[in-house]
Amino acid sequence: MGRKRDKKLEEWIVIPPGETIKENLEYLGMTQAEFAQRMGLSEKTVSEIINGIAPITYETALKLENVIGASAEFWMNLEANYQLAKARIAEKQKLKDEEKVLNQIPYNEMSKYRWVPETKNKEERIKNLRNFFGVSSLNFIPQTLEVCFRKTNNEKTSCYALAAWIRKAEIEAYKIETKPFDKEKIYQFIPVIKELTKHTWEEIYPKLINICSECGIALVTLPHLKGTYVNGATKWLKKDKVLLALSYRYKFADVYWFSFFHELGHILKHGRKEVFIEGDDEISKNELEEEADNFAANTLIPYKDYKKFITENKFFTKDNIIAFANSLNIHPCIVVGRLMHDKLISYSDFNELRPRINFKS
């Protein structure tokens, strides 16, 4: 089997092993009809082998060894090399076809976060992304992460960027060992988690991961990819393990904690078949999202306590916010965030009580 280079097409033209058979028949002065008789094959089968339509089988290779003289291994190697060369050409075309998808994936940003190797070569990028997404073709991403393409309704949202973010969360979650999912244990840990809000990020995060792992939750916090507009997501990885993913999109601690409890609400209250993605620009609100919002708000600050606080205070001050937060054993930023959300104070008020989290990529 040989290969020729077509300078116009700049593609490899693969020559089937049948060409070698044909050359040998010419050398021996043997017609295809006579060759078919000697091989015990039909003339049609011989024609298909010579033209690369039918493959050389092990049985055919042994017959070729007797009729033409070269070893069966020689003929099988020719066939194997031919099939591999054809597959390489087909693969090259697939890579070219996948460039349209490649252009929609934020590869540079992903490589900056070391999610994929850094490279400028398009073919290498496609192969790296196939490995990242666990697919044989980038064209299969919408089927494997369907929710990312079904849930978005904002033209600014990049479905492929969102799929990449969710996929990275999955990859990291599989690395985290968790105990079997235990709903009751989560409820028992909620007061402990609320108390954690009062500490620094360096103290909080390792403890929060451990608490979640004890309950069957793999907690993952990732950098935010442009065009995803995602704050958090939940997805069941198996019957006793669930992913809770949060993004670095906003640096304010109160936003992080609200997103955490929002996703926790989905885990505790909603079905396991659904994948929940929380954002604000691209994800349409529905009854389940509102229920998760209410769970987060009222778990962090019980509604009766909150109602009493806003009723008794005509003016909100730093002191009464801190005192109220202390009574609930939570960080004051949680109270400030709630008041801002309810438009009872301006987004410029009490920002000194809203620490920013120094996430590490």
Side-chain angles (χ1 to χ4, degrees):
M1 189 275 293
R3 293 188 300 181
K4 293 181 181 178
R5 186 75 169 173
D6 188 314
K7 294 182 179 179
K8 292 182 179 179
L9 297 178
E10 288 296 301
E11 291 289 346
W12 286 108
I13 297 175
V14 184
I15 300 174
E19 285 291 319
T20 304
I21 296 175
K22 190 176 180 181
E23 289 172 3
N24 276 274
L25 294 184
E26 290 174 358
Y27 174 77
L28 295 170
M30 189 184 301
T31 65
Q32 285 191 24
E34 181 185 353
F35 176 65
Q37 289 177 338
R38 291 174 180 273
M39 289 285 289
L41 299 172
S42 69
E43 290 186 40
K44 180 183 177 183
T45 300
V46 166
S47 176
E48 287 177 346
I49 292 173
I50 288 175
N51 289 294
I53 299 170
I56 294 175
T57 64
Y58 291 112
E59 185 181 357
T60 302
L62 289 170
K63 289 180 178 181
L64 287 168
E65 183 178 70
N66 292 319
V67 175
I68 293 181
S71 69
E73 288 80 8
F74 169 81
W75 295 111
M76 289 309 302
N77 283 335
L78 276 186
E79 180 63 36
N81 290 336
Y82 171 62
Q83 295 298 338
L84 181 59
K86 281 205 306 182
R88 288 193 187 282
I89 289 177
E91 173 70 4
K92 213 163 182 58
Q93 185 56 51
K94 282 182 184 178
L95 287 167
K96 195 164 187 64
D97 292 341
E98 290 172 59
E99 285 184 16
K100 291 179 181 178
V101 177
L102 172 64
N103 294 334
Q104 298 180 66
I105 297 175
Y107 194 97
N108 289 339
E109 197 175 3
M110 292 169 67
S111 65
K112 181 182 77 173
Y113 295 131
R114 297 185 293 279
W115 295 3
V116 289
E118 186 176 349
T119 177
K120 299 292 184 183
N121 183 280
K122 286 186 178 182
E123 289 191 6
E124 288 179 5
R125 286 188 170 201
I126 290 171
K127 289 177 181 177
N128 291 338
L129 287 171
R130 285 176 179 175
N131 183 261
F132 174 82
F133 283 102
V135 293
S136 60
S137 167
L138 299 188
N139 292 316
F140 299 152
I141 294 172
Q143 290 94 312
T144 56
L145 290 157
E146 182 184 354
V147 65
C148 300
F149 297 80
R150 177 166 48 84
K151 286 240 176 190
T152 54
N153 62 4
N154 189 313
E155 291 181 359
K156 294 181 181 179
T157 302
S158 168
C159 298
Y160 283 98
L162 184 58
W165 191 87
I166 294 290
R167 176 58 180 163
K168 178 59 177 176
E170 290 176 350
I171 291 169
E172 294 305 313
Y174 283 121
K175 298 176 186 176
I176 300 173
E177 292 186 10
T178 63
K179 290 186 178 179
F181 179 74
D182 190 330
K183 182 184 285 190
E184 294 306 315
K185 195 179 283 187
I186 295 172
Y187 280 110
Q188 292 170 13
F189 270 119
I190 282 177
V192 178
I193 297 172
K194 288 173 66 175
E195 197 275 335
L196 276 181
T197 66
K198 298 164 63 177
H199 299 275
T200 64
W201 177 250
E202 289 72 22
E203 295 174 306
I204 290 167
Y205 198 53
K207 292 179 181 178
L208 191 59
I209 290 176
N210 289 335
I211 289 171
C212 288
S213 298
E214 283 288 318
C215 303
I217 300 171
L219 174 64
V220 176
T221 303
L222 296 174
H224 173 255
L225 290 183
K226 292 176 185 177
T228 59
Y229 303 97
V230 64
N231 296 334
T234 58
K235 180 179 180 181
W236 286 87
L237 303 177
K238 49 187 181 178
K239 66 178 182 178
D240 59 355
K241 182 176 183 178
V242 59
L243 160 67
L244 193 164
L246 298 171
S247 83
Y248 296 3
R249 186 179 178 196
Y250 297 110
K251 305 293 185 182
F252 288 111
D254 58 292
V255 177
Y256 182 88
W257 285 114
F258 185 87
S259 295
F260 174 84
F261 278 94
H262 174 99
E263 301 305 332
L264 198 61
H266 282 310
I267 292 170
L268 292 171
K269 294 184 172 293
H270 302 141
R272 299 188 177 198
K273 293 182 179 180
E274 186 73 47
V275 177
F276 294 99
I277 302 174
E278 181 216 350
D280 47 28
D281 294 329
E282 88 299 358
I283 307 297
S284 59
K285 287 289 183 182
N286 56 39
E287 186 179 336
L288 298 182
E289 292 299 323
E290 289 177 4
E291 191 175 357
D293 277 350
N294 291 333
F295 174 84
N298 297 323
T299 300
L300 286 164
I301 305 176
Y303 179 75
K304 288 184 179 179
D305 295 328
Y306 180 67
K307 192 72 174 176
K308 182 181 178 183
F309 173 68
I310 63 175
T311 301
E312 291 180 351
N313 293 281
K314 293 183 179 180
F315 301 100
F316 301 106
T317 66
K318 184 175 179 180
D319 289 340
N320 63 29
I321 288 173
I322 292 174
F324 179 54
N326 288 339
S327 72
L328 299 174
N329 203 25
I330 57 174
H331 194 284
C333 71
I334 308 295
V335 179
V336 174
R338 179 77 171 268
L339 293 172
M340 286 179 174
H341 177 270
D342 293 344
K343 296 181 170 53
L344 296 174
I345 61 174
S346 165
Y347 279 96
S348 61
D349 293 336
F350 306 111
N351 275 316
E352 69 274 19
L353 296 179
R354 298 179 77 203
R356 290 175 179 267
I357 297 176
N358 182 25
F359 294 110
K360 294 180 180 178
S361 302

Coordinates of all heavy atoms in Angstrom, one line a residue, residues 179-197 207-217 257 260-261 264 268 295 299-300 329:
K179 N -19.7 10.8 51.4 CA -20.5 9.7 52.0 C -21.8 9.7 51.3 O -22.2 10.6 50.6 CB -20.7 10.0 53.5 CG -19.4 9.8 54.3 CD -19.6 9.9 55.8 CE -18.3 9.7 56.6 NZ -18.5 9.8 58.0
P180 N -22.6 8.6 51.5 CA -23.9 8.6 50.8 C -24.8 9.8 51.2 O -24.8 10.2 52.3 CB -24.5 7.2 51.3 CG -23.3 6.4 51.6 CD -22.3 7.4 52.2
F181 N -25.6 10.2 50.2 CA -26.4 11.4 50.5 C -27.4 11.2 51.7 O -28.0 10.1 51.8 CB -27.3 11.7 49.2 CG -28.2 12.9 49.4 CD1 -27.7 14.1 49.4 CD2 -29.6 12.7 49.6 CE1 -28.5 15.2 49.5 CE2 -30.4 13.7 49.7 CZ -29.9 15.0 49.7
D182 N -27.4 12.2 52.5 CA -28.2 12.1 53.8 C -28.9 13.5 54.0 O -28.3 14.4 54.5 CB -27.3 11.8 54.9 CG -28.1 11.4 56.2 OD1 -29.2 12.0 56.4 OD2 -27.6 10.6 57.0
K183 N -30.2 13.5 53.6 CA -31.0 14.8 53.7 C -31.1 15.2 55.2 O -30.9 16.4 55.5 CB -32.4 14.6 53.2 CG -33.2 15.8 53.2 CD -34.6 15.6 52.7 CE -34.7 15.4 51.2 NZ -36.1 15.4 50.7
E184 N -31.3 14.3 56.1 CA -31.5 14.7 57.5 C -30.2 15.3 58.1 O -30.2 16.3 58.9 CB -31.9 13.5 58.4 CG -33.3 13.0 58.0 CD -34.3 14.0 58.1 OE1 -34.3 14.8 59.1 OE2 -35.2 14.1 57.2
K185 N -29.1 14.8 57.6 CA -27.8 15.3 58.1 C -27.5 16.7 57.6 O -27.0 17.5 58.3 CB -26.6 14.4 57.6 CG -25.3 14.6 58.3 CD -24.2 13.7 57.8 CE -24.4 12.3 58.4 NZ -23.3 11.4 58.0
I186 N -28.0 17.0 56.4 CA -27.9 18.4 55.9 C -28.7 19.4 56.8 O -28.1 20.4 57.2 CB -28.5 18.5 54.5 CG1 -27.6 17.6 53.5 CG2 -28.5 19.9 54.0 CD1 -28.2 17.5 52.1
Y187 N -29.9 19.0 57.1 CA -30.7 19.9 58.0 C -30.0 20.1 59.4 O -30.0 21.2 59.9 CB -32.1 19.3 58.2 CG -33.0 19.6 57.1 CD1 -33.4 18.6 56.2 CD2 -33.5 20.9 56.8 CE1 -34.3 18.8 55.2 CE2 -34.3 21.1 55.8 CZ -34.8 20.1 54.9 OH -35.6 20.4 53.9
Q188 N -29.3 19.0 59.9 CA -28.6 19.2 61.1 C -27.4 20.1 61.0 O -27.1 20.8 62.0 CB -28.1 17.8 61.6 CG -29.3 16.8 62.0 CD -28.8 15.4 62.2 OE1 -27.6 15.1 62.3 NE2 -29.7 14.5 62.2
F189 N -26.8 20.1 59.9 CA -25.6 20.9 59.7 C -25.9 22.4 59.3 O -25.0 23.2 59.3 CB -24.7 20.4 58.6 CG -23.7 19.4 59.0 CD1 -23.7 18.0 58.6 CD2 -22.7 19.7 59.9 CE1 -22.8 17.1 59.0 CE2 -21.8 18.8 60.4 CZ -21.8 17.5 59.9
I190 N -27.1 22.7 59.0 CA -27.5 24.1 58.5 C -27.0 25.2 59.6 O -26.4 26.2 59.2 CB -29.0 24.2 58.2 CG1 -29.2 23.6 56.8 CG2 -29.4 25.7 58.2 CD1 -30.6 23.6 56.3
P191 N -27.3 25.0 60.9 CA -26.9 26.0 61.9 C -25.3 26.2 61.9 O -24.8 27.3 62.0 CB -27.4 25.4 63.2 CG -28.5 24.6 62.8 CD -28.1 23.9 61.5
V192 N -24.6 25.1 61.7 CA -23.2 25.1 61.6 C -22.7 25.9 60.4 O -21.8 26.7 60.5 CB -22.6 23.7 61.6 CG1 -21.0 23.8 61.5 CG2 -23.0 22.9 62.8
I193 N -23.4 25.7 59.3 CA -23.0 26.4 58.0 C -23.3 27.9 58.1 O -22.5 28.7 57.7 CB -23.8 25.8 56.8 CG1 -23.3 24.3 56.6 CG2 -23.5 26.6 55.5 CD1 -24.2 23.6 55.6
K194 N -24.4 28.2 58.7 CA -24.8 29.6 58.9 C -23.7 30.3 59.8 O -23.3 31.5 59.5 CB -26.1 29.7 59.6 CG -27.3 29.4 58.6 CD -28.6 29.4 59.3 CE -29.0 30.8 59.8 NZ -30.4 30.7 60.4
E195 N -23.2 29.6 60.8 CA -22.2 30.2 61.7 C -20.9 30.4 60.9 O -20.1 31.3 61.2 CB -22.0 29.3 62.9 CG -21.2 29.9 64.1 CD -19.7 29.9 63.9 OE1 -19.2 28.9 63.2 OE2 -19.0 30.7 64.5
L196 N -20.6 29.5 59.9 CA -19.4 29.7 59.1 C -19.4 31.0 58.4 O -18.3 31.5 58.0 CB -19.3 28.5 58.1 CG -18.8 27.2 58.6 CD1 -18.7 26.2 57.4 CD2 -17.4 27.3 59.1
T197 N -20.6 31.5 58.0 CA -20.6 32.8 57.3 C -19.8 33.9 58.0 O -19.4 34.9 57.3 CB -22.0 33.3 57.0 OG1 -22.7 33.6 58.3 CG2 -22.9 32.2 56.4
K207 N -13.8 23.7 55.5 CA -14.8 23.2 56.4 C -16.1 22.9 55.7 O -16.8 21.9 55.9 CB -15.0 24.1 57.6 CG -13.9 24.3 58.6 CD -14.2 25.3 59.7 CE -13.0 25.4 60.6 NZ -13.2 26.4 61.7
L208 N -16.4 23.8 54.8 CA -17.7 23.7 54.0 C -17.6 22.5 53.1 O -18.6 21.8 53.0 CB -17.9 25.0 53.2 CG -19.3 25.2 52.6 CD1 -20.4 25.1 53.6 CD2 -19.4 26.5 51.8
I209 N -16.5 22.3 52.5 CA -16.3 21.1 51.6 C -16.5 19.8 52.4 O -17.2 18.9 52.0 CB -14.9 21.1 50.9 CG1 -14.9 22.2 49.9 CG2 -14.7 19.8 50.3 CD1 -13.5 22.4 49.2
N210 N -15.9 19.8 53.6 CA -16.0 18.6 54.5 C -17.4 18.3 54.9 O -17.9 17.2 55.0 CB -15.1 18.7 55.7 CG -13.6 18.6 55.3 OD1 -13.3 18.0 54.3 ND2 -12.7 19.2 56.1
I211 N -18.1 19.4 55.3 CA -19.5 19.3 55.8 C -20.4 18.7 54.6 O -21.2 17.8 54.8 CB -20.1 20.6 56.3 CG1 -19.4 21.0 57.6 CG2 -21.6 20.6 56.4 CD1 -19.8 22.4 58.1
C212 N -20.2 19.3 53.5 CA -21.0 18.8 52.3 C -20.7 17.4 52.0 O -21.6 16.6 51.7 CB -20.7 19.7 51.1 SG -21.4 21.4 51.2
S213 N -19.4 17.0 52.0 CA -19.0 15.6 51.7 C -19.6 14.7 52.7 O -20.0 13.6 52.3 CB -17.5 15.5 51.8 OG -16.8 16.3 50.8
E214 N -19.7 15.1 54.0 CA -20.4 14.2 55.0 C -21.8 13.9 54.6 O -22.4 12.9 55.0 CB -20.3 14.9 56.3 CG -19.0 14.8 57.0 CD -18.7 13.4 57.5 OE1 -19.6 12.8 58.1 OE2 -17.5 13.0 57.4
C215 N -22.5 14.9 53.9 CA -23.9 14.8 53.6 C -24.1 14.2 52.2 O -25.3 14.1 51.7 CB -24.5 16.1 53.7 SG -24.4 16.9 55.3
G216 N -23.1 13.8 51.4 CA -23.2 13.3 50.1 C -23.2 14.4 49.0 O -23.7 14.1 47.9
I217 N -22.7 15.6 49.3 CA -22.7 16.7 48.4 C -21.2 17.0 48.0 O -20.4 17.2 48.9 CB -23.3 17.9 48.9 CG1 -24.8 17.7 49.3 CG2 -23.2 19.1 48.0 CD1 -25.4 18.8 50.1
W257 N -23.2 33.1 49.6 CA -23.9 32.3 50.5 C -25.4 32.2 50.1 O -26.0 31.1 50.3 CB -23.9 33.0 51.9 CG -22.6 32.8 52.6 CD1 -21.6 33.7 52.9 CD2 -22.1 31.5 53.0 NE1 -20.6 33.1 53.5 CE2 -20.8 31.7 53.6 CE3 -22.5 30.2 53.0 CZ2 -20.0 30.7 54.1 CZ3 -21.7 29.2 53.5 CH2 -20.5 29.4 54.0
F260 N -25.3 29.5 47.5 CA -25.1 28.2 48.1 C -26.4 27.6 48.7 O -26.8 26.5 48.4 CB -24.1 28.3 49.3 CG -23.9 27.0 50.1 CD1 -23.1 26.0 49.6 CD2 -24.6 26.8 51.2 CE1 -22.9 24.8 50.3 CE2 -24.5 25.6 52.0 CZ -23.7 24.6 51.5
F261 N -27.1 28.5 49.4 CA -28.4 28.0 50.0 C -29.5 27.8 49.0 O -30.4 27.0 49.1 CB -28.8 28.9 51.1 CG -28.1 28.6 52.5 CD1 -27.0 29.3 52.8 CD2 -28.6 27.7 53.3 CE1 -26.3 29.1 54.0 CE2 -28.0 27.4 54.5 CZ -26.8 28.1 54.9
L264 N -28.8 24.5 47.6 CA -29.1 23.5 48.6 C -30.6 23.3 48.7 O -31.1 22.2 48.9 CB -28.6 24.0 50.0 CG -28.5 23.0 51.1 CD1 -27.5 21.9 50.8 CD2 -28.1 23.7 52.4
L268 N -32.6 19.7 48.4 CA -33.4 19.2 49.5 C -34.9 19.1 49.0 O -35.6 18.2 49.6 CB -33.4 20.1 50.7 CG -32.0 20.1 51.4 CD1 -32.0 21.3 52.5 CD2 -31.8 18.8 52.1
F295 N -36.3 29.4 50.0 CA -35.6 28.5 50.9 C -34.3 29.2 51.4 O -34.0 29.2 52.6 CB -35.3 27.2 50.3 CG -34.4 26.3 51.2 CD1 -35.0 25.5 52.1 CD2 -33.0 26.3 51.0 CE1 -34.2 24.7 53.0 CE2 -32.2 25.5 51.8 CZ -32.8 24.7 52.8
T299 N -34.0 30.5 55.2 CA -33.1 29.7 56.0 C -32.0 30.5 56.6 O -31.6 30.4 57.7 CB -32.5 28.6 55.1 OG1 -33.5 27.7 54.6 CG2 -31.5 27.7 55.9
L300 N -31.5 31.5 55.8 CA -30.4 32.4 56.3 C -31.0 33.4 57.3 O -30.4 33.6 58.4 CB -29.8 33.2 55.1 CG -28.9 32.4 54.3 CD1 -28.6 33.1 52.9 CD2 -27.5 32.1 55.0
N329 N -26.7 34.6 64.5 CA -25.4 33.9 64.4 C -25.0 33.8 62.9 O -24.6 32.8 62.5 CB -25.5 32.5 65.0 CG -24.1 32.0 65.4 OD1 -23.2 32.8 65.6 ND2 -24.0 30.7 65.5

